[in-house]
Amino acid sequence: MSGKLNLKKPASSTYEDNKARALSTDVAIRADLAAHEDTEPEILYYLTDDSSGKVRKNLALNPCTPAKANLILAQDEDHEVRMELARKICRLLPDLSGEQTAIILEKTIEVLEILANDQVTAVRAIISETLKESVDVPKNIVMDLAKDVEEIVASPILEYSPLLSDNDLLEIMASGIAAGALPAVARRPNLSEDVSDAVVAQLEVPAISTLLANPSAKIREETLDQIMDQAESVEPLHEPLVMRLNLSLRAMRRISGFVASSLVEKLVSRNNLPPATEKELKNIVRGRIEKTREFTPASEEGSQTRAEKLFADGKLDEEAIADAVDLKDQEFVVTALSLKTKYSSKTVNAMLVSRNGKVVTSLCWKAGLSMRLAFKIQTVIAHVPRRDLINARNGIEYPFTNKEMDWQLSFYEG
């Protein structure tokens, strides 16, 4: 049962009649009484203690149920009662203004605060979805919803609420955003450069794809460079980059250096480039293809031997390993990680094939690599599923403590 009830009490009904109906043993009679908008407020208040969920649900729906009764219903044991109350309160809020309703407004906001912190996700989600574009809701309630741990609650507010400032969004992302909710921030209209920077710093592929697809989002050239650094080894970012509006020629040249030739065709047609520029970008693709054909990973000495020689010479650094990752040279990467962590190649390989983002990240930490390279190794070498990828904290830091990462690695030791 939902929607606004507008039932009329029989003309012959009197206050005494309604008192008798409130005491009836017939649930249908009490439920009907709770649904009428002209039932006396004190009788509606009395019915908040009714044993029937149907009666209390009708009270929750009734727009004339007094504010103090709504406060009781906000903590009702039946979550369906609370859900109906949430819908009603959100509908009533914009109409509560003026001195006459100041007390009612105060009580209504109190009810709203209780429901916005309800233990049942569905109740909080109703509040969030209904109030996502409201300017009448108190800011503290909006912030609570935006910081909710459930994506279904946080996302509507994060994407639409006009009450959230750039500073609010930055604070929310810094303190920890609900899993899966970051794309909602990336979809916001007219996103500022600072917020775009913060989205990219989270290193979440779905959020970055969404940001690139947002035509009104402002993205600094340096930030776009960071995205391209990541995109070279993350194929799902290739098309969103190509489809980004207003790319500089410099950016288009770089993108042409790693995306498929079919996407370069899209890049050319989408930007209506002059023939000379089109030829230049296509030459970049052809040159890359020829270079790939000439490259032979299995050189005379082999990947393992090359890694061992670099290690012996003190040159097995981050850049050398990153180059091997870009070339998808599994043997070199396994050998390098083995040498730098003192784990056997067999143990390193077992960690990588586990496709466990936490384990692979901990292995890279043990090897002294940056978190950015750890993310690349997760995606390119270990093929960690997208849902299990471990992202950097603040864009560059490992998200776990040393103790937590040692614990992850302990399962493979001994």
Side-chain angles (χ1 to χ4, degrees), residues 143 146-147 168-178 202 393-394:
M143 288 295 287
K147 292 178 179 178
D168 294 330
L169 293 167
L170 293 171
E171 176 195 328
I172 292 163
M173 284 187 280
S175 62
I177 197 167
Q202 301 292 319
R393 187 177 68 236
N394 299 326

Side-chain angles (χ1 to χ4, degrees), residues 120-136:
V120 175
T121 300
V123 176
R124 305 195 308 277
I126 288 170
I127 299 289
S128 176
E129 180 62 31
T130 310
L131 297 181
K132 63 187 181 184
E133 296 179 282
S134 174
V135 294
D136 300 304

Side-chain angles (χ1 to χ4, degrees), residues 79-366:
H79 73 276
E80 291 188 3
V81 171
R82 304 197 304 275
M83 287 170 68
E84 294 295 359
L85 180 65
R87 293 187 182 99
K88 179 185 73 176
I89 291 298
C90 290
R91 285 196 304 270
L92 293 178
L93 190 63
D95 298 326
L96 297 177
S97 59
E99 294 179 7
Q100 304 88 338
T101 55
I103 295 176
I104 297 175
L105 176 60
E106 182 182 342
K107 293 291 183 186
T108 302
I109 288 174
E110 190 176 346
V111 171
L112 194 59
E113 287 175 334
I114 293 170
L115 295 172
N117 289 283
D118 196 280
Q119 63 181 356
V120 175
T121 300
V123 176
R124 305 195 308 277
I126 288 170
I127 299 289
S128 176
E129 180 62 31
T130 310
L131 297 181
K132 63 187 181 184
E133 296 179 282
S134 174
V135 294
D136 300 304
V137 60
K139 179 72 173 286
N140 66 300
I141 295 178
V142 167
M143 288 295 287
D144 284 346
L145 293 169
K147 292 178 179 178
D148 200 280
V149 296
E150 297 292 342
E151 184 270 334
I152 194 175
V153 178
S155 285
I157 296 292
L158 289 170
E159 182 171 354
Y160 295 106
S161 178
L163 300 180
L164 292 179
S165 66
D166 284 356
N167 286 337
D168 294 330
L169 293 167
L170 293 171
E171 176 195 328
I172 292 163
M173 284 187 280
S175 62
I177 197 167
L182 195 58
V185 176
R187 282 191 293 269
R188 283 180 72 91
N190 303 310
L191 209 63
S192 73
E193 291 175 335
D194 287 343
V195 178
S196 292
D197 286 351
V199 170
V200 173
Q202 301 292 319
L203 293 177
E204 286 191 17
V205 173
I208 295 174
S209 295
T210 303
L211 179 69
L212 290 168
N214 182 348
S216 67
K218 299 175 182 65
I219 304 177
R220 291 187 177 95
E221 196 72 20
E222 314 88 83
T223 307
L224 196 61
D225 283 338
Q226 292 174 27
I227 294 174
M228 288 188 283
D229 287 342
Q230 184 177 353
E232 288 191 31
S233 59
V234 182
E235 191 172 339
L237 286 177
H238 289 189
E239 187 162 6
L241 260 175
V242 166
M243 301 305 288
R244 177 70 186 171
L245 295 171
N246 302 318
L247 289 168
S248 67
L249 180 56
R250 185 183 72 84
M252 286 190 276
R253 286 181 181 129
R254 186 171 175 192
I255 291 168
S256 298
F258 60 82
V259 303
S261 57
S262 60
L263 288 178
V264 175
E265 294 284 355
K266 278 189 179 181
L267 187 64
V268 169
S269 61
R270 182 170 176 78
N271 291 277
N272 195 25
L273 298 174
T277 305
E278 177 181 350
K279 184 178 179 181
E280 179 188 357
L281 297 184
K282 288 181 177 178
N283 283 338
I284 291 172
V285 176
R286 277 193 289 272
R288 189 181 84 231
I289 292 171
E290 289 304 316
K291 186 177 179 181
T292 302
R293 284 175 181 163
E294 292 168 5
F295 175 73
T296 51
S299 61
E300 291 179 8
E301 58 185 0
S303 298
Q304 180 179 339
T305 304
R306 284 189 294 109
E308 289 171 346
K309 281 188 175 180
L310 286 171
F311 183 72
D313 294 340
K315 296 178 180 179
L316 188 59
D317 55 16
E318 172 129 347
E319 184 178 353
I321 298 173
D323 287 343
V325 172
D326 288 340
L327 295 169
K328 301 182 181 179
D329 190 342
Q330 180 97 10
E331 185 181 8
F332 185 101
V333 174
V334 169
T335 304
L337 291 173
S338 171
L339 291 167
K340 292 181 80 66
T341 60
K342 296 184 171 58
Y343 291 136
S344 69
S345 294
K346 183 179 178 181
T347 299
V348 169
N349 197 58
M351 292 182 186
L352 294 174
V353 300
S354 73
R355 302 182 74 193
N356 183 320
K358 292 180 180 179
V359 171
V360 176
T361 299
S362 301
L363 174 65
C364 294
W365 162 77
K366 185 79 171 179

